[in-house]
């Protein structure tokens, strides 16, 4: 727990921010023809990693009552 908030909440917030950044880089690559595809790929991988960690922590909290 950080600041009395479970890690599942923190990883959820980070996942949402990463999704928004990934979408922003994808939109700027397609619409504005900026060369940001390498950042888009990085944030897509980061989003998947954060979402996996968030899902594991959420399952632990929901089914087993463990809060980290």
């Amino acid at each position: 727990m950080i600041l009395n908030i479970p890690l599942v909440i923190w990883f959820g917030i980070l996942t949402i921010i990463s999704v928004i950044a990934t979408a922003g880089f994808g939109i700027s690559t397609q619409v504005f023809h900026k060369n940001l595809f390498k950042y888009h790929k990085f944030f897509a991988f980061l989003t998947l990693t954060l979402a996996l960690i968030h899902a594991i922590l959420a399952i632990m909290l929901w089914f087993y009552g463990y809060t980290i």
Side-chain angles (χ1 to χ4, degrees):
M1 290 185 138
I2 300 172
L3 300 173
N4 271 347
I5 300 173
L7 279 180
V8 68
I9 302 297
W10 289 110
F11 275 102
I13 293 168
L14 290 175
T15 303
I16 292 296
I17 292 170
S18 182
V19 165
I20 292 169
T22 303
F25 286 130
I27 290 169
S28 65
T29 299
Q30 290 295 318
V31 175
F32 302 116
H33 305 292
K34 301 286 184 181
N35 190 13
L36 299 174
F37 188 67
K38 62 182 176 182
Y39 300 115
H40 174 74
K41 288 193 311 185
F42 171 77
F43 273 93
F45 179 73
L46 180 67
T47 300
L48 289 175
T49 305
L50 290 172
L52 180 65
I53 294 170
H54 174 67
I56 291 169
L57 290 173
I59 289 170
M60 286 175 46
L61 179 63
W62 184 264
F63 291 111
Y64 302 111
Y66 297 137
T67 56
I68 298 174

